[in-house]
């Protein structure tokens, strides 16, 4: 299970799931069952979260939207923006503005050195 999670963090593209199954020696069905039991999410959902986390880290490094999408495992920038908005309710630029330029590991985040949550400071008006 740890190896499957590690592999998904390295390559979280949707088409990588079959390769992950093969590399850990499980069928796709067994992989889904194990993820459901041990992680509580399907492998596709874990991959989706991993892509979002990668995009957040790349964005904080100052990469532009196209570079974030290309390096983050998205098909294109539009795909990245759609996924970002579906998962956070904000576009990448809105999310960055709400974070106020805080670096990874700020008090908003739960793991040092990483953007790990979507906690944002309260804003007076929205």
């Amino acid at each position: 299970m740890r190896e499957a999670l590690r592999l998904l963090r390295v390559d979280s593209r949707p088409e990588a799931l079959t390769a992950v199954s093969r590399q850990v020696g499980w069928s796709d069905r067994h992989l889904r069952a194990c993820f459901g039991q041990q992680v509580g999410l399907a492998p596709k959902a874990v991959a989706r979260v991993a892509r979002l986390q990668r995009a957040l880290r790349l964005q904080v490094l100052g990469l532009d939207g196209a570079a974030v999408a290309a390096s983050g495992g998205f098909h294109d920038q539009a795909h990245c923006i759609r996924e970002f908005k579906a998962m956070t309710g904000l576009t990448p630029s809105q999310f960055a503005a709400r974070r106020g330029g805080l670096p990874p590991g700020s008090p908003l985040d739960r793991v040092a050195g990483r953007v790990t949550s979507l906690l944002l400071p309260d804003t007076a008006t929205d």
Side-chain angles (χ1 to χ4, degrees):
M1 193 68 222
R2 286 185 183 156
E3 180 64 6
L5 283 168
R6 186 191 69 75
L7 291 168
L8 278 179
R9 284 189 199 110
V10 171
D11 186 359
S12 56
R13 296 170 303 132
E15 57 272 15
L17 293 173
T18 299
V20 168
S21 295
R22 275 190 238 127
Q23 288 179 352
V24 295
W26 293 342
S27 68
D28 290 346
R29 183 177 175 192
H30 187 69
L31 182 75
R32 285 191 305 274
C34 286
F35 267 77
Q37 291 171 350
Q38 297 181 33
V39 178
L41 294 171
K44 282 186 180 184
V46 171
R48 193 174 181 205
V49 170
R51 278 193 305 277
L52 176 66
Q53 288 297 322
R54 187 176 302 116
L56 290 169
R57 287 190 300 274
L58 294 168
Q59 183 186 44
V60 169
L61 292 174
L63 274 66
D64 67 18
V68 167
S71 300
F74 297 93
H75 296 294
D76 55 27
Q77 189 172 358
H79 176 224
C80 179
I81 292 169
R82 280 192 310 273
E83 282 289 288
F84 209 102
K85 192 162 186 180
M87 294 181 74
T88 68
L90 302 167
T91 65
S93 58
Q94 289 170 329
F95 185 83
R98 294 280 294 275
R99 276 188 66 85
L102 292 171
S106 76
L108 294 175
D109 302 321
R110 296 184 177 146
V111 176
R114 300 180 98 186
V115 176
T116 58
S117 70
L118 299 179
L119 296 173
L120 297 169
D122 289 333
T123 55
T125 59
D126 231 302

